Amino acid sequence: DFLNALNEVKPAFGADDSELEENLTYGIIYFSESIKAILNDGMLYVENVRVQERNRHMSVLLYGPSASGKTALAAHIAMKSGYPFIKLITPASLVGFRDDMAKKDYIHKVFTDAYKSPLSMLILDNLERMIEWNPVGARLSNNILQTLVTLLQTPPPKGHRLLILATTSQRSIMEQLDVTSAFDREIPVPAVRDLNELGVVLSEARMFASSAHVEEALKTVGEYASSDTVGVGIKTILTTAETAKLSSDPVNWFGEQLAGQIARYNPTM
Amino acid sequence: DFLNALNEVKPAFGADDSELEENLTYGIIYFSESIKAILNDGMLYVENVRVQERNRHMSVLLYGPSASGKTALAAHIAMKSGYPFIKLITPASLVGFRDDMAKKDYIHKVFTDAYKSPLSMLILDNLERMIEWNPVGARLSNNILQTLVTLLQTPPPKGHRLLILATTSQRSIMEQLDVTSAFDREIPVPAVRDLNELGVVLSEARMFASSAHVEEALKTVGEYASSDTVGVGIKTILTTAETAKLSSDPVNWFGEQLAGQIARYNPTM
Amino acid sequence: DFLNALNEVKPAFGADDSELEENLTYGIIYFSESIKAILNDGMLYVENVRVQERNRHMSVLLYGPSASGKTALAAHIAMKSGYPFIKLITPASLVGFRDDMAKKDYIHKVFTDAYKSPLSMLILDNLERMIEWNPVGARLSNNILQTLVTLLQTPPPKGHRLLILATTSQRSIMEQLDVTSAFDREIPVPAVRDLNELGVVLSEARMFASSAHVEEALKTVGEYASSDTVGVGIKTILTTAETAKLSSDPVNWFGEQLAGQIARYNPTM
Amino acid sequence: DFLNALNEVKPAFGADDSELEENLTYGIIYFSESIKAILNDGMLYVENVRVQERNRHMSVLLYGPSASGKTALAAHIAMKSGYPFIKLITPASLVGFRDDMAKKDYIHKVFTDAYKSPLSMLILDNLERMIEWNPVGARLSNNILQTLVTLLQTPPPKGHRLLILATTSQRSIMEQLDVTSAFDREIPVPAVRDLNELGVVLSEARMFASSAHVEEALKTVGEYASSDTVGVGIKTILTTAETAKLSSDPVNWFGEQLAGQIARYNPTM
Amino acid sequence: DFLNALNEVKPAFGADDSELEENLTYGIIYFSESIKAILNDGMLYVENVRVQERNRHMSVLLYGPSASGKTALAAHIAMKSGYPFIKLITPASLVGFRDDMAKKDYIHKVFTDAYKSPLSMLILDNLERMIEWNPVGARLSNNILQTLVTLLQTPPPKGHRLLILATTSQRSIMEQLDVTSAFDREIPVPAVRDLNELGVVLSEARMFASSAHVEEALKTVGEYASSDTVGVGIKTILTTAETAKLSSDPVNWFGEQLAGQIARYNPTM
Amino acid sequence: DFLNALNEVKPAFGADDSELEENLTYGIIYFSESIKAILNDGMLYVENVRVQERNRHMSVLLYGPSASGKTALAAHIAMKSGYPFIKLITPASLVGFRDDMAKKDYIHKVFTDAYKSPLSMLILDNLERMIEWNPVGARLSNNILQTLVTLLQTPPPKGHRLLILATTSQRSIMEQLDVTSAFDREIPVPAVRDLNELGVVLSEARMFASSAHVEEALKTVGEYASSDTVGVGIKTILTTAETAKLSSDPVNWFGEQLAGQIARYNPTM
Ligand SMILES: Nc1ncnc2c1ncn2[C@@H]1O[C@H](COP(=O)(O)OP(=O)(O)OP(=O)(O)O)[C@@H](O)[C@H]1O
Ligand SMILES: Nc1ncnc2c1ncn2[C@@H]1O[C@H](COP(=O)(O)OP(=O)(O)OP(=O)(O)O)[C@@H](O)[C@H]1O
Ligand SMILES: Nc1ncnc2c1ncn2[C@@H]1O[C@H](COP(=O)(O)OP(=O)(O)OP(=O)(O)O)[C@@H](O)[C@H]1O
Ligand SMILES: Nc1ncnc2c1ncn2[C@@H]1O[C@H](COP(=O)(O)OP(=O)(O)OP(=O)(O)O)[C@@H](O)[C@H]1O
Ligand SMILES: Nc1ncnc2c1ncn2[C@@H]1O[C@H](COP(=O)(O)OP(=O)(O)OP(=O)(O)O)[C@@H](O)[C@H]1O
Ligand SMILES: Nc1ncnc2c1ncn2[C@@H]1O[C@H](COP(=O)(O)OP(=O)(O)OP(=O)(O)O)[C@@H](O)[C@H]1O
Ligand SMILES: [Mg+2]
Ligand SMILES: [Mg+2]
Ligand SMILES: [Mg+2]
Ligand SMILES: [Mg+2]
Ligand SMILES: [Mg+2]
Ligand SMILES: [Mg+2]
């Protein structure tokens, strides 16, 4: 079964492989059932584009809160796919271009390059920044947006196959912009939701010296956050724990800081 | 009777013929009476422009929900028309141009080319994307819109004849933009509306191994969607069934996924 | 009396004469008293500009619903005027120019050309499209609008005379834009208002084989439209009847289609 | 007394003299006391700028309804002033320039030219059109407006004197735009207000064959307008009477048309 | 005491001296205690920038109603300062530049020039016009505004000293634009507030032949304005009195005109 | 412990060192516990980026009211960091560039320069001015904002480390603009809150001749401000005291002026 490919370590080959790995600083931690389901669905679409003649073109949107691991999951799927052509486009890929005309020309070129390979994958990371979305005055680059949406929906030339993975942490904005309707499928990516899941993350990542320290950290977070609901992205948890190691009192510093981050991302909690 | 031409297989000749066929991946399935009526009306307008001296110029708008088959129906009519000049313009035709000035020049050129043939058809596919419509801030290219609307309403030179078919999945926006009033006639294209019609689609397209499987799939969709109303485009049904074939449990996977799509397109159902 | 010129067939001479005739595909049908009144008023202004020293410059706006015959009436007046210089400017005249700067330069040039003749007429057809009016976001080209309005109000050089006829189907917009106040006079052009007038149109245009057919057609429209009020432009009536001739049941097809058009143009009826 | 200059016929000399006269097609008719008062005030400002060392720079705004005679009054004052440099700037002066940058450069140049003469007058006719005011979307050229307002308020170089007369029929807009506050003084110009004043205008201008005809015309207008209040600009009255002369029934045609114009300009009356 | 410098007549030297004097046509009249206080505060800031090492950079905003004397007071302080570099920038300084880019470059250049002198003063006169403020649509040049605000807040290079005086008659707009917060200090400039102050102005300026005439003028204004509150700028008073001298009845004409101006500037009074 | 570095005087070396010092005119006064906490946190992030492999990229936002010392604190942390590459970018760094394209290119170049050093710090001072924020019409440069936010979130190349410190006095605007969420951490900087803290500032800075004068000054402020709450930035206090030294009555002048500033910054107090 092709889904087993998920657990194999065989890396994708190609120019962008190390770039993909950079998005997996802390690897993938299976802190919830949904992580496995996301990867299963992703690989089904990978297979579908590879073999189905009438579905040789497909686009999938990964959406979820800030820091929840969207980019890492897309990179992981890409590395496992074995596709000969894989290209990651991020807002940073576009920042050096003069204006949105030059940016859209670059995006167009990347798609044109992808069309040259018989089997290609494009990752469009962080759609809301790519279109230069700014909630004040609902500013954005309609040039980039229209280019992206049109290219998303255009099939590659005959005999060519293309899978597009995109990520966003602003799904509702993407819906208002009629961008979600341009995708064939959508996959939600969850935050770390409760102290149990947080415990799995901290243990698996070996962030503290002992499991007693982990317990203590969970207790501290629970006190500060005064709730069982965590609702914070896995990237925030991992980087905060990493900094905490330098503090004189890592466990407490971690708890206090993470509670601050939880409050920042969940203002009404 | 010229309407019989519908059932003939004689393909249109000309440069764009294979491009038209690419829009008919799954052929035409007669899942409802309205499909036949749409094709009859389309062929009447084809004949009218061909023979009536005082109606040598006509524009028709095909509108309907996303994925309902608008482009396929327009391509089918074009292929049956026998017109010597047929040209399909899509948002993808415009994506490579620098700005909306270059895009409008291209559109103008296509019309000018059409004027050179004594009998021409232009298909303007997906008007809302062609004018770069973005509901947030009601953005659009007024340059492209005005060019399209003016050219739509301008008769070709004496001795020349022109039929324009256009498609949109945003008729109400087109109405607000005064675009619908620029068309001589309009034809609605319906979604697949209930489990009966869905059954016809699945059977005719031979998506499942047996009619028992089809029955089971219909039951599954009915459960998930918890309603007799389907309201989803035929393209969505066909591509979802195609992917389902790769799943370990195609019938269930299909039902679940289609129900998800129904919910996505009918949020209040 | 110069008003008699209306009934004479002597055509205007000049380069644009055949272009004027193209706007009179179905001639002029006197389906109501107001048609004659419009032509009488038009010819009075023609004469006034020709002879009155202190009124050598005048602008007149013909307004009315879509397809009501505004362009045909302006063209008819121009053909009867005998003016040595007549020029028709339409949105299509402008569509090939790069941007609204180039469009306004062209408009300016046409006025400058007109100033060279001692007696000139300009027809500005379809003002709302010429200024690129788009009701969504109240978009328009203020450059073109200001140029038109300024030129409308500027007298030609001494010893020269200029009559401007313009048409619009959006008078209320033109009023909001302060465009109507720039015209010296306005003339309303009515739709075909009731079954009687419709009967005159169908009979005079000899659209059906016999007067019995006309009666039947009127009855059919009356049923579909369920009202004595027609409220549809003469152009719509004539082109629909022309297509109907190709149908297997022309009278019924005509009635059904015209009723559809009446509903489209009179949504609240 | 310098105010006597008003009644003298000695024309101003200079290049623009015939251009000024073109704005006085029907001369000046003293249909009300306020006409004399306007001219007296105008000549006081003319004298003030000519002789007072500390008031060598002054700007005056003439405002009033459409067609009320603002331009004619400004032209009349200019012709009587005897200033060696007089220049009239109208929207038509600007229409040939490419964009508002070129327009503002031209305006700047005209002021610079005026600074070269020891005693200059500039007439800025129809401010609202000059700034390209469009009430829909409150469009305008802020470039032209800022240039005008800044130049209005800038004194000429030492030893030079400058009087600026400007006209507008949109005073309330000019006030909202902070333009009125840039003028040192304002003078209102009234419409023809009642049948008495209308009678003076028609008699003085000798528009009808006899005073009986004038009486009849007044009666006709009174009937149509169904009110003693006229409220229409003198230019409208005079041009309508001029056209009426060509009609078979001049008195009635005049009454009917003028009533129409009164209704157009006073919608709520 | 350095404040005594106020009463000395020693003029500042430098290129812009005569330009400063042009803003003092009528000198400075001490019609109220606040005039002296404004000049005292101004000279304290002049001294502070000259001597205090840690306050070598300071910006002060003079604000008050139209015509209240803001520019004259800033010019007076500058003339008394004895600074080797003084430069006055007004909207008229900018009017000849092509666009706001060129304007902001010029402003930048003036600051750069000021940085070359060890002790400099810049007067930014009439901020609201400099930024091209237009209340309709809240238009302005954000380029010029940001440049001004940034330069206002940037200290000159080490060893250099800079005092910035600016004026505005639209303080509340400047506050909304976050411009006031960019100034270190603010000084209000009052209008002439009552008949007593008006009397001082008229007497000191010797506008009328005798003090009896002044009394009569005050009485006349009091009648027209029907209030003890005057609320009009000193510039308006002085220029109106100057024109009045040419009238046949100066006292009455002055009273009537000034009352009109009071009403214009205080609509609700 | 690396936190001890705070109290050492060893200055950072590098090109920008004297530029950093210019932001510390009055040194750092420890008027409250939070000053020490801010510096401790700052140095923890400095160490974190220096040593932690997986946190080699971090961004921190210092926010607080106007004049509260944000820039001085960032400069102080930078000087203590010992990083080989430190660069301060302010609105003044950008003011000389032609437009926001050139500005964003410069910002991009600064980041590219920083990437060349193995260990770099960038200070982005006054974000709201850098993005040209203007509350009227919510104007800003979305080009600069998007560039900043993208570069903030982009990790430097492998083997390189980057700490970004930014300041703003408009945190709530930054939040609305989705800018705060782009920072990994935030640190609040408080105003001087009460008379006690004000006393510490005045004593430590030795602004008055004796502690009796300080007491008197506090009393004066307390009277004017009629409240125990001060709520004014330390920069405002220090510069006002500096100017007061030149006044004839320094203590009273200081009290009065500071009360005025308190009222200006706390309108509702
Ligand atoms: N189950 C997981 N899913 C995703 N990422 C994981 C998981 N377990 C560990 N990680 C680590 O968490 C980090 C996720 O960061 P990532 O940048 O992918 O988040 P993101 O959602 O894309 O953030 P942003 O909203 O800023 O774009 C990575 O370093 C990854 O190695
Ligand atoms: N009766 C039918 N009408 C239209 N298409 C049909 C029909 N039966 C089968 N099809 C197939 O369904 C698909 C319709 O897709 P098509 O792209 O035309 O939809 P669409 O409405 O244009 O979608 P979109 O809204 O994305 O533009 C085609 O592959 C076509 O072969
Ligand atoms: N009385 C009439 N008035 C005007 N047109 C008539 C009349 N009788 C017959 N016609 C015919 O009707 C048609 C009117 O079409 P025309 O293009 O002038 O309408 P329109 O109001 O300009 O339409 P649109 O709103 O699209 O610009 C012409 O073909 C003309 O020959
Ligand atoms: N008392 C008068 N005041 C002004 N114009 C008069 C008077 N008597 C006669 N006229 C004539 O009336 C006409 C006034 O037209 P004019 O163009 O000056 O009006 P306007 O107010 O400037 O119009 P618009 O609002 O279109 O600019 C001129 O032909 C002038 O000769
Ligand atoms: N006490 C005074 N303060 C200011 N100006 C005075 C005073 N006394 C007399 N003047 C005179 O009053 C005039 C003030 O005009 P000024 O242009 O400075 O006003 P302003 O407030 O700058 O006007 P605006 O709002 O138009 O910019 C000058 O001519 C000046 O000589
Ligand atoms: N504890 C302190 N924190 C910060 N600055 C201090 C402190 N003690 C003294 N200062 C002095 O106060 C001044 C703070 O000014 P600074 O420009 O940093 O304020 P700011 O908040 O950046 O102001 P702005 O809002 O205008 O950008 C500096 O001169 C600094 O030397
Ligand atoms: Mg991401
Ligand atoms: Mg389609
Ligand atoms: Mg027409
Ligand atoms: Mg005028
Ligand atoms: Mg001033
Ligand atoms: Mg700062």
Side-chain angles (χ1 to χ4, degrees), chain E residues 144-187:
Chain E
I144 298 179
L145 182 149
Q146 297 295 335
T147 300
L148 279 173
V149 166
T150 297
L151 288 171
L152 264 182
Q153 296 184 302
T154 306
K158 263 187 193 169
H160 294 258
R161 294 161 174 279
L162 176 60
L163 175 63
I164 297 157
L165 300 183
T167 74
T168 186
S169 55
Q170 300 272 14
R171 191 191 174 280
S172 71
I173 301 297
M174 293 301 120
E175 193 171 13
Q176 288 170 43
L177 294 167
D178 270 358
V179 169
T180 50
S181 70
F183 282 92
D184 296 313
R185 303 290 180 259
E186 297 185 44
I187 300 178

Side-chain angles (χ1 to χ4, degrees), chain A residues 46-75:
Chain A
V46 162
E47 195 61 15
N48 177 54
V49 169
R50 193 202 312 276
V51 306
Q52 294 294 73
E53 184 54 39
R54 299 194 292 196
N55 274 0
R56 63 190 175 86
H57 175 227
M58 186 156 242
S59 57
V60 181
L61 179 63
L62 291 151
Y63 65 89
S66 219
S68 57
K70 301 167 298 292
T71 306
L73 291 166

Side-chain angles (χ1 to χ4, degrees), chain C residues 5 9 11 20 31 39 48 54 57-58 73 101 109-110 112 119 141 159 163 169 185 188 194 200 209-210 222 238:
Chain C
V9 203
L20 292 173
F31 64 85
L39 295 173
N48 177 53
R54 298 192 293 195
H57 175 226
M58 185 157 243
L73 290 166
M101 288 300 167
K109 191 191 168 313
V110 170
T112 309
L119 182 60
S141 165
L163 175 63
S169 55
R185 304 289 180 261
D194 56 34
V200 177
S210 68
L238 295 169

Side-chain angles (χ1 to χ4, degrees), chain C residues 76 134 176 215 217 259 263:
Chain C
H76 188 74
N134 179 339
Q176 288 170 43
E215 285 309 312

